[in-house]
Amino acid sequence: MPSVRFLPADVAVDVAAGTLIHEAAVRAGLLDLELPCGGQGTCGQCLVEVADQPVMACQTRVSADIVVRIPENRDVAIRVVGDSHFLVNEELLPSRDQISPLVRMERVTVSSASVEEHYSDWKRLVRALRQPEATAPLPVLQSLAAVLRERDGQVTVALEDRQGGARVAGIYPGHAPRPAMGLALDIGTTTVAAQLVDLEDGRVVDTRTSYNLQIRRGADIITRIDYARTPERLEELRSLVLESANTLIAQMPADHGDIRAAFIAGNTTMIHLLLGLPPRYIRESPYVPTVNPVPAMAARDVGLEIHPDAPVEFAPGVGSYVGGDITAGLLSTELPTNAGEVFLFLDIGTNGEIVIGNAAWMVACACSAGPAFEGSGIKCGMRAAEGAIEHVEIGETLRYKVIGGGKPAGICGSGLICLLGELFRRGIIDQSGRFHIEPREFLLESGARTATGEDLVITESDLENLIRTKAAIYAACSLILENVGLNWEAIARVYIAGGFGRYIEVAEAVRIGMLPDLPHGRFSYIGNSALTGAYIALLSGEHRRRLADIAGRITYVDLSSDPRYMDNYVKAMFLPHTDLEKFPTVAGMLTQQRRIGL
C-alpha cells in the first residue's frame, strides 16, 4: 500500500492505491483541508503541493509513496453573532414567572417510612412532588432507596414535564444549591451558536459562536448532501458538527454535568447531518426527509457532551428546505401572533428562507442564494471575521471599515453588498454589473497595505456572482407575494434574520435590488433569530407547543417547479431590476446621475 506523508504535521498514513489525497488526510487525522465545493473540483481551494507542484487534493489520487505539503491556514476569529435577544421585542421573550423549562429542579423532603406509613419509596417521592402520574427510567429507580436515605429524605429531583405526567429524569441527595443549566443551540450551515441558560430564571450565562467545521467539506447545503453519500463521509460530517458544538460547550463556564436540557434549531439538512441521517433524499424527488419533526432524545445519543441523560428537543421543520431554524426564528417576531397585519420574514444566508403571512395564514419558500455573501466564489471574499472589510464608501477617496481594525484580508458579505451599491451609485458599473472603466475590475486595496500582501480586487465575475445571489432572493420574495395576491406595499414589516442579515445596510441592499424599495422604518433586524427561538423554546412549554402549531400551519411553496420563478429571477438580474418602477428611489438616483453626466 502506498504511504502518504503530510507536512508540516509530519504525519504518515498507508492507503490503498487510488485513494484521493484529501481522503488520505482524513484518515491521517488532518481535517483542516477545506473543500468548499464538496470535492467536486470546482473551487480550487484544496490545493496542496506534491513534488513542488500544486494539485487539488479532492481530485488527485495516490498511486505511489508521496509527500504532501498542506498550506498553513490563516486562522481568524469569527464575529460573535449569537446574542440577538436585545434585537427582539422583550414582550416576545418569556418572563421569569412564565418559565416552564424542558427540565426543572425540584428540591423536596420525602418523609421516612414507618410501621404506620409503610408506603414504597417511589410512592412517598411522587407524593412529595405532588406528581401522582410521574414516571421514571430504571436507573432512577435503582438508585432511589440509597439516595432517599443519604440525607434523611432531602433530595433534588430533575423533572421533565411531558404529556400524561412528569418524568423523573434524575434524583440526587440533598437540596442542591446549584441551578440546572440548559443549552440553546443553533446549527447553521456556516456557523454554530450556543447559549448557556439558567433554567430557573432564564438568565443567559454565556454565548459562544464558531464556524461549523463542516464548511471544510462544502460551502453550502447541496455540496454537503453530495459529499455525504457514503457512510464514511456522513460520519465525518457528523463528527465535524459535533466537534463544533462540543468545543463551544467546553468553553462555557459551567460544570457540564449541570447542563440538564438542550433545545436545537437548524435547517433540515443540518439536523440530518448532526444525527447521522442520510440527507440525499432531501434533494431527490419527492424531496422527503428521514424524519420531521425529530423526536426528543437523550444527549448521549445525540453526541452532546452535557449530562448524558439530558433531554434534547428539536424545532420542527416545515419540509426539506424550510427547517426548524425558520420555525424557531418566527418566535422572535409578531408574525405567528398578530392577525391584523401582514409580515415578511427573511432569513438571508447561504440559503434564503422566506415566510409571509400572520397569525391567520403563513406561506413559506426557499431559494438557493449561494455562498457568495459568505465570501465563496469571490476572488477576495471571506467570511465575517477579523480582517474582513464590512463597509465601503466611494467618494473622492475610497474608505472602508475592517472588522477588528488593522489591515484588510478580504471583504465579507455586508461589505460586498455595500461595495456593489457604491459602484452602481458612482456610475463605475452599469445596471448589468459591467465596468465603465479599464481595466474591468476594481482595486479595493493594494498588496502593500493588506494583511495577505496581495491586491484586493473585485472582478466582473465577482459582481456577476453577487447579482445572481441578490436576484435569487428578490425573485423568491416577488413570487411568493404574487402567489398570495399581494404587493410589496401590503407588507407592514420586514424581519431580516440571520447573523449575516444583521449587518446588511438597508439602503445599499435596496439600491442593488436585493430588498424592496420600502420605507426603511419597515425593516427590523432580529439577528440570529434561530438561536433566540431555541432559547425561548428551551424555557417555555407554551412556546414549544406553539412551534408545533407554527410548523403545521405553514404552507410550503416549491419554487423550482414554478416556471414563473425563472422569469422573476431574470428580471432581477439587473441593478436594481429591469422594472425601475419597483424601485422609485433608485430610479431617482439614476435620473440624477444622468443629469450630472455620470
Side-chain angles (χ1 to χ4, degrees):
M1 297 176 69
S3 175
V4 184
R5 179 171 294 279
F6 290 96
L7 300 177
D10 197 22
V11 175
V13 63
D14 293 332
V15 297
T19 300
L20 292 168
I21 287 178
H22 98 267
E23 292 177 338
V26 171
R27 294 178 192 178
L30 304 175
L31 301 178
D32 291 341
L33 195 58
E34 294 195 6
L35 280 67
C37 66
Q40 301 299 309
T42 58
C43 70
Q45 297 299 304
C46 63
L47 290 177
V48 297
E49 291 183 5
V50 177
D52 295 327
Q53 296 296 318
V55 301
M56 285 193 289
C58 72
Q59 299 295 304
T60 307
R61 298 186 181 276
V62 177
S63 59
D65 292 354
I66 58 171
V67 176
V68 178
R69 178 173 292 277
I70 300 177
E72 185 176 356
N73 284 336
R74 179 176 176 270
D75 292 330
V76 292
I78 189 172
R79 163 180 272 169
V80 177
V81 296
D83 193 356
S84 300
H85 296 186
F86 68 92
L87 297 173
V88 175
N89 186 336
E90 287 188 8
E91 295 180 359
L92 298 173
L93 303 176
S95 62
R96 183 166 182 169
D97 59 356
Q98 295 173 324
I99 290 177
S100 51
L102 272 175
V103 168
R104 53 190 172 88
M105 306 301 283
E106 290 281 344
R107 300 168 181 85
V108 297
T109 300
V110 180
S111 61
S112 301
S114 65
V115 175
E116 293 79 14
E117 296 284 339
H118 56 279
Y119 297 112
S120 69
D121 292 342
W122 173 251
K123 188 167 185 176
R124 298 198 318 280
L125 173 65
V126 298
R127 186 170 60 184
L129 291 170
R130 298 178 183 177
Q131 295 284 348
E133 304 298 324
T135 61
L138 181 58
V140 168
L141 297 178
Q142 289 171 334
S143 65
L144 180 60
V147 171
L148 283 182
R149 289 161 177 81
E150 185 171 333
R151 298 283 182 88
D152 296 325
Q154 290 188 347
V155 293
T156 300
V157 181
L159 282 176
E160 300 173 31
D161 289 319
R162 296 186 171 186
Q163 288 186 348
R167 177 178 182 268
V168 177
I171 183 168
Y172 312 96
H175 289 170
R178 292 185 302 190
M181 293 290 171
L183 184 73
L185 191 61
D186 167 39
I187 305 293
T189 307
T190 302
T191 60
V192 176
Q195 285 185 329
L196 183 67
V197 181
D198 186 320
L199 293 180
E200 290 190 1
D201 61 15
R203 178 173 54 93
V204 176
V205 177
D206 195 22
T207 299
R208 302 277 173 167
T209 308
S210 74
Y211 291 123
N212 183 340
L213 292 176
Q214 289 179 345
I215 56 178
R216 296 170 178 170
R217 299 297 178 259
D220 55 36
I221 286 174
I222 300 302
T223 53
R224 288 186 213 171
I225 291 175
D226 289 340
Y227 186 83
R229 286 183 178 271
T230 67
E232 295 79 12
R233 288 186 171 188
L234 176 59
E235 182 55 33
E236 181 187 349
L237 290 178
R238 181 171 187 262
S239 297
L240 286 170
V241 71
L242 280 172
E243 180 183 347
S244 304
N246 287 327
T247 297
L248 296 181
I249 293 169
Q251 295 169 350
M252 290 179 164
D255 180 340
H256 303 131
D258 288 339
I259 303 178
R260 294 302 313 242
F263 196 94
I264 300 178
N267 67 54
T268 307
T269 298
M270 290 302 102
I271 297 302
H272 275 56
L273 294 177
L274 173 69
L275 299 177
L277 305 175
R280 61 179 296 181
Y281 303 107
I282 290 173
R283 68 167 304 201
E284 295 179 7
S285 181
Y287 313 110
V288 175
T290 297
V291 60
N292 182 41
V294 179
M297 53 190 71
R300 65 161 62 86
D301 297 325
V302 178
L304 294 180
E305 294 176 359
I306 59 177
H307 193 288
D309 294 324
V312 179
E313 292 195 9
F314 302 82
V318 177
S320 292
Y321 293 109
V322 176
D325 54 338
I326 303 307
T327 57
L330 290 173
L331 292 179
S332 302
T333 74
E334 293 180 68
L335 198 153
T337 57
N338 185 337
E341 297 178 298
V342 178
F343 303 90
L344 180 71
F345 175 91
L346 181 57
D347 191 313
I348 303 174
T350 305
N351 296 286
E353 290 95 0
I354 300 151
V355 182
I356 186 172
N358 54 29
W361 58 275
M362 287 178 274
V363 178
C365 69
C367 66
S368 180
F373 288 147
E374 302 292 349
S376 183
I378 306 298
K379 186 175 182 179
C380 63
M382 64 181 290
R383 303 178 190 111
E386 289 184 8
I389 294 174
E390 63 173 340
H391 176 80
V392 178
E393 291 181 15
I394 302 176
E396 295 300 323
T397 60
L398 173 70
R399 294 187 297 174
Y400 54 76
K401 180 181 178 183
V402 179
I403 297 176
K407 294 182 177 181
I411 183 168
C412 65
S414 60
L416 287 166
I417 291 173
C418 192
L419 175 61
L420 184 58
E422 285 287 281
L423 291 174
F424 182 45
R425 181 178 70 88
R426 299 295 297 181
I428 298 171
I429 59 175
D430 62 21
Q431 286 187 260
S432 64
R434 304 298 180 189
F435 282 105
H436 288 307
I437 60 175
E438 293 290 346
R440 305 184 73 82
E441 60 183 24
F442 186 81
L443 178 66
L444 269 169
E445 189 58 273
S446 64
R449 301 179 64 180
T450 68
T452 62
E454 298 179 357
D455 290 350
L456 300 184
V457 175
I458 293 294
T459 67
E460 281 190 351
S461 176
D462 295 334
L463 298 182
E464 184 179 355
N465 282 336
L466 294 173
I467 291 173
R468 280 201 296 261
T469 297
K470 76 92 183 175
I473 294 168
Y474 188 83
C477 291
S478 297
L479 183 55
I480 199 170
L481 278 168
E482 187 178 334
N483 283 339
V484 297
L486 296 175
N487 57 34
W488 283 110
E489 284 300 321
I491 304 299
R493 183 155 301 280
V494 179
Y495 291 104
I496 302 176
F500 161 65
R502 174 175 164 185
Y503 296 96
I504 292 174
E505 296 183 33
V506 168
E508 300 290 356
V510 170
R511 184 173 295 148
I512 67 173
M514 185 174 83
L515 294 179
D517 198 347
L518 295 174
H520 292 181
R522 295 194 196 182
F523 293 89
S524 291
Y525 297 104
I526 55 174
N528 190 342
S529 60
L531 182 64
T532 300
Y535 162 86
I536 293 171
L538 175 71
L539 291 174
S540 170
E542 176 187 348
H543 286 86
R544 290 192 292 276
R545 291 186 290 273
R546 183 178 296 170
L547 270 178
D549 177 65
I550 290 171
R553 289 194 294 118
I554 294 177
T555 300
Y556 176 71
V557 175
D558 182 9
L559 297 181
S560 63
S561 62
D562 192 332
R564 294 174 300 164
Y565 175 69
M566 188 53 64
D567 293 337
N568 279 278
Y569 175 73
V570 171
K571 292 175 184 177
M573 279 290 289
F574 291 84
L575 300 172
H577 197 273
T578 54
D579 183 0
L580 281 177
E581 290 185 1
K582 297 179 181 294
F583 292 87
T585 61
V586 185
M589 180 198 77
L590 293 174
T591 300
Q592 179 66 16
Q593 282 183 352
R594 297 188 191 102
R595 185 176 298 128
I596 63 176
L598 283 179

